[in-house]
Structures are given as C-alpha cells and as structure tokens.
C-alpha cells in the first residue's frame, strides 16, 4: 500500500508538471511568434529609422528590425463599436521579425492602401468577412476613415486576436497624423532568451543617439512586457508542485506505519539480535533500508507510469480541450528530465525522512524488555 501510494503521487506529479511545462512552452512560443523579441520606442517618435536601424544591427545577436506606427483607435461596424490596438507595419519587414505570415488564415498580408487585417476573434465578434468595410476613428486626428478587410489572422491567443489589427505603415502614419515618423522598432534576435543581454548593449549604443539630439528611446524585452503573466505561470506551477508533493507525503506516512508495525511484529527478533551483540547502527540500517526500498520502488514505478502516461497524452491526444476557452485543442505535454530528477529526489528524500523514527525506535529497543514476555 505504501509503495502504491508513493507511485501514484510521483506519477501524478510528473504528469501535472509536464502538462504545465507544456502550457508554458506553448504560450511562450505564441508570444514570441506574435511579438518582436525587443521593442524600442519613443513618445515623440523616431525621426530617422534607417540610421537607427543601422546602429541597432551593429549588435551581433540582432537578426532583423521592423518599423511600426501603433496606437489606439475606435472601430465602427454597423451598430457595433470596439476599441482596439492598431499596428502599422511594412509587411516585408514584419514577416522577418514575427510569424505574422503563418498566422494569416484568410486573405493575404500584402496590405493595399485602405486595407486592414483583423484578428479572427475580432472579426467573429463584429461579424465581418473579407471585403467588408469598417470605419476607424482616431482620438488624435478625430476623423472617421473607412478601411476594407483584406485579411484575417489567428495567433491562438485570445487577447491578440480580439484587440489587434494591422494596417500598412503609410496608412497608419496618415491615420495617426505622425507624418513620416515611426513610433516603434521591432527587433528579432537569433536567440529570444538573449533579450536582456541585448537590451544592455542597445542602451549603451542608444545613449549616444540621445546625446546627439534624438528624443529619449525606451527599450522593453518580450519578457518584461509579459512579466506578470510568466510570474503567474511560475507561481501556479510551484503551487501545483507543493500540493501534489503532499500526496507523496501522505503516502510516506504509510511507510512510517508499515515500519512501526514491523518493529512491533519483530520485537522478539530485534531483542535476540541485540542480545547476541548486534550493534544499534546495524539494526537502524536494516529498517532504514527497508523503508528506502519501499520508497525507491514506489518512485521507480511512479516515474515509469508518469513517463508512459505523458507519452500517451502527447502521441494520441485523447484529452481534448475546448478551443473557445483555451484556444488549443490538445493537452500540451513537455517532459523534461530536470523535472523528473527533482520529483524523484523529493520522493526519495521524503521516504528517507519517514524511516528515521521507526528505525531509531527499533535500534533503541531494550533487549530485556523485548524478551521479557517471550
């Protein structure tokens, strides 16, 4: 029973942590795919994008850059009004920085003048399709401007697909009245996780630009933009690890009770061993190893069961998720050997701790008391 309890606890831990790691990786891939790795922006606009892009590209980790003009707008369609984020892009540059071309599910990314690409959720809420005309209004210029839907994209992230739309950068400059200015620069790196390092290098390079009269430039990495989101995921993963470790802890109480019952049943044998001179340390080791064998066997079977179940979940995907809630139709599984080692280590440590009291009780047993009634 004790071994089975440990096995179930370890198996549950492995499966849950693998699923949460899968969600974490899946969401990170979508965030990285839909956003530049580093964003550089200025409240007053960037006057010379070409010159700035040359300076940015001097950092070896930087692969490509893309200009943006972004802002808030109101969208009108029939009797519906929505607020959304507008992003003016150069399609040829944008597809080098993000995976936007992969996300376009209807129409095309080549934006004609007066064309707009909407998120799939936004199009669904409005009930618009390709070729339909919508009206955009900017709080800056205050002029209602008609645009025709030339494409629909689907990133799989609800907030993006509901609140984001793309225009050609020249249309966005006219719409927001910024002339030839660029408000943001998107940067793609060879390694997305090198973003903090690249940020420090860019700050040194751009310090000279600011000193030369350029308006102050601010830099944010994809990690900083989604900091709260990733912190919540990490906390949730830790909480699940602690909660499910309690299953192993409860199972290890069975190890304690099993060893205590064994001590009681073997009282006469322990007394005889001590009477013939067996050291306390040897008796202590006998019961310690007895508990560890139970814990080790349970951990081993739990690891095997957890790995097999993760493999089945990943290959056959027999658990379906409602897409309207999670926006993925499968249960993502990412099994990492580091997690398995950590779980196995915790299970074995708890198993070892559970042997301390029973083994000490057996080792300290008085042989006279043990044999008095035999």
């Amino acid at each position: 029973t004790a071994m089975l309890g440990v096995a179930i606890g370890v198996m549950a831990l492995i499966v849950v942590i693998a699923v949460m790691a899968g969600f974490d990786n899946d969401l990170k891939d979508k965030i990285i795919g839909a956003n530049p790795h580093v964003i550089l922006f200025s409240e007053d606009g960037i006057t010379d994008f070409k010159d700035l892009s040359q300076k940015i590209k001097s950092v070896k980790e930087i692969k490509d850059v893309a200009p943006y003009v972004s802002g808030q707008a109101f969208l009108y369609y029939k009797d519906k009004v929505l607020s959304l984020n507008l992003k003016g892009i150069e399609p040829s540059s944008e597809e080098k920085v993000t995976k936007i071309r992969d996300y376009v599910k209807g129409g095309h990314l080549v934006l004609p003048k007066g064309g707009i690409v909407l998120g799939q959720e936004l199009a669904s809420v409005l009930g618009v399709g390709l070729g339909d005309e919508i009206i955009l209004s900017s709080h800056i210029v205050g002029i209602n401007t008609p645009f025709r839907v030339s494409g629909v994209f689907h990133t799989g992230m609800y907030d993006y697909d509901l609140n984001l739309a793309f225009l050609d950068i020249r249309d966005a400059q006219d719409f927001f009245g910024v002339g030839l200015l660029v408000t943001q620069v998107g940067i793609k790196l060879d390694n997305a996780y090198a973003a903090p390092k690249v940020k420090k290098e860019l700050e040194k390079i751009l310090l000279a630009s600011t000193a030369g009269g350029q308006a102050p430039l601010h830099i944010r990495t994809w990690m900083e933009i989604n900091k709260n989101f990733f912190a919540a995921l990490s906390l949730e993963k830790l909480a699940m690890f602690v909660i499910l470790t309690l299953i192993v802890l409860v199972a290890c109480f069975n190890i304690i009770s099993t060893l205590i019952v064994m001590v009681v049943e073997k009282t006469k044998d322990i007394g005889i061993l001590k009477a013939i001179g067996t050291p306390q340390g040897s008796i202590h080791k006998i019961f310690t190893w007895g508990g560890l064998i139970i814990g080790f066997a349970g951990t081993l079977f739990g690891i095997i069961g957890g790995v097999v179940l993760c493999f089945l979940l990943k290959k056959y995907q027999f658990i379906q998720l409602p897409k309207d809630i999670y926006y993925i139709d499968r249960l993502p599984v990412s099994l990492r050997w580091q997690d398995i080692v950590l779980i196995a280590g915790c299970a074995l440590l708890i198993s070892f701790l559970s042997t301390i009291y029973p083994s000490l009780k057996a080792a300290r047993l008085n042989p006279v008391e043990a044999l008095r009634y035999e």
Side-chain angles (χ1 to χ4, degrees):
T1 304
M3 184 178 71
L4 182 62
V6 173
I8 292 173
V10 169
M11 184 173 69
L13 258 173
I14 287 175
V15 173
V16 170
I17 296 300
V19 169
M20 294 196 72
F23 270 110
D24 190 31
N25 292 340
D26 194 75
L27 289 169
K28 281 182 179 177
D29 287 342
K30 286 181 178 178
I31 288 171
I32 292 171
N35 294 280
H37 300 152
V38 179
I39 293 177
L40 191 153
F41 62 96
S42 171
E43 288 87 351
D44 299 325
I46 299 167
T47 54
D48 194 343
F49 167 72
K50 288 185 178 180
D51 180 56
L52 183 61
S53 65
Q54 290 301 318
K55 293 178 182 177
I56 291 171
K57 287 179 179 179
S58 66
V59 179
K60 65 178 181 179
E61 289 90 350
I62 292 176
K63 192 173 181 180
D64 283 297
V65 297
Y68 299 129
V69 173
S70 63
Q72 293 283 323
F74 289 103
L75 186 154
Y76 301 89
Y77 181 72
K78 295 181 179 178
D79 59 343
K80 298 175 182 176
V81 182
L82 289 174
S83 174
L84 77 161
N85 297 316
L86 279 182
K87 198 170 185 181
I89 62 171
E90 283 183 354
S92 58
S93 300
E94 180 66 11
E95 63 187 34
K96 294 177 183 177
V97 173
T98 66
K99 296 179 181 178
I100 184 63
R101 185 168 292 280
D102 296 336
Y103 295 142
V104 175
K105 303 301 180 185
H108 49 77
L109 187 61
V110 179
L111 286 157
K113 184 171 178 59
I116 186 170
V117 176
L118 302 178
Q120 183 172 291
E121 295 302 322
L122 179 59
S124 177
V125 168
L126 293 172
V128 302
L130 296 177
D132 288 343
E133 187 177 87
I134 53 97
I135 302 295
L136 293 181
S137 175
S138 166
H139 66 281
I140 299 172
V141 179
I143 299 174
N144 291 343
T145 309
F147 286 88
R148 196 166 295 279
V149 179
S150 60
V152 175
F153 69 88
H154 176 62
T155 65
M157 297 188 69
Y158 183 78
D159 286 343
Y160 283 72
D161 293 348
L162 182 64
N163 298 304
L164 184 62
F166 293 102
L167 303 176
D168 182 84
I169 192 166
R170 284 163 290 278
D171 282 343
Q173 287 170 333
D174 293 339
F175 181 75
F176 289 113
V178 297
L180 298 176
L181 293 180
V182 171
T183 60
Q184 294 181 354
V185 176
I187 302 170
K188 182 178 181 179
L189 309 179
D190 288 323
N191 176 13
Y193 293 92
K197 176 189 171 186
V198 172
K199 178 181 176 179
K200 291 180 181 178
E201 293 185 36
L202 284 173
E203 284 173 342
K204 294 176 184 176
I205 294 171
L206 297 176
L207 189 61
S209 298
T210 304
Q214 168 69 52
L217 297 168
H218 307 283
I219 306 169
R220 296 192 74 191
T221 67
W222 66 274
M223 299 171 184
E224 291 172 332
I225 294 170
N226 300 281
K227 183 179 178 180
N228 292 337
F229 179 69
F230 290 131
L233 278 178
S234 297
L235 182 61
E236 188 175 317
K237 188 176 180 181
L238 177 62
M240 292 302 296
F241 181 84
V242 172
I243 291 168
L244 290 171
T245 300
L246 294 176
I247 298 176
V248 180
L249 190 62
V250 170
C252 286
F253 275 105
N254 284 335
I255 295 178
I256 296 174
S257 61
T258 300
L259 291 177
I260 289 175
V261 169
M262 191 183 297
V263 170
V264 173
E265 289 178 345
K266 303 296 183 181
T267 298
K268 176 184 175 182
D269 300 305
I270 296 170
I272 292 171
L273 287 172
K274 298 201 74 174
I276 62 176
T278 304
Q280 281 192 1
S282 297
I283 295 173
H284 184 278
K285 288 178 182 178
I286 290 171
F287 284 91
T288 298
W289 278 108
L292 282 176
I293 288 170
I294 295 172
F296 180 79
T299 301
L300 180 62
F301 288 125
I303 290 172
I304 294 170
V307 170
V308 169
L309 188 53
C310 286
F311 173 77
L312 293 174
L313 283 169
K314 191 171 184 177
K315 184 170 183 178
Y316 297 105
Q317 301 173 9
F318 47 80
I319 296 181
Q320 299 295 316
L321 299 178
K323 288 187 71 174
D324 57 335
I325 297 175
Y326 296 102
Y327 291 88
I328 50 176
D329 58 359
R330 58 183 175 78
L331 199 65
V333 178
S334 177
L335 191 60
R336 301 182 299 186
W337 67 266
Q338 298 98 319
D339 292 333
I340 295 175
V341 170
L342 178 62
I343 291 166
C346 289
L348 291 174
L349 177 62
I350 294 171
S351 298
F352 170 73
L353 294 175
S354 67
T355 67
I356 293 175
Y357 174 73
S359 58
L360 285 175
K361 185 177 176 65
R364 293 173 180 174
L365 197 65
N366 189 327
V368 176
E369 293 293 330
L371 297 173
R372 174 176 294 177
Y373 301 108
E374 297 298 335

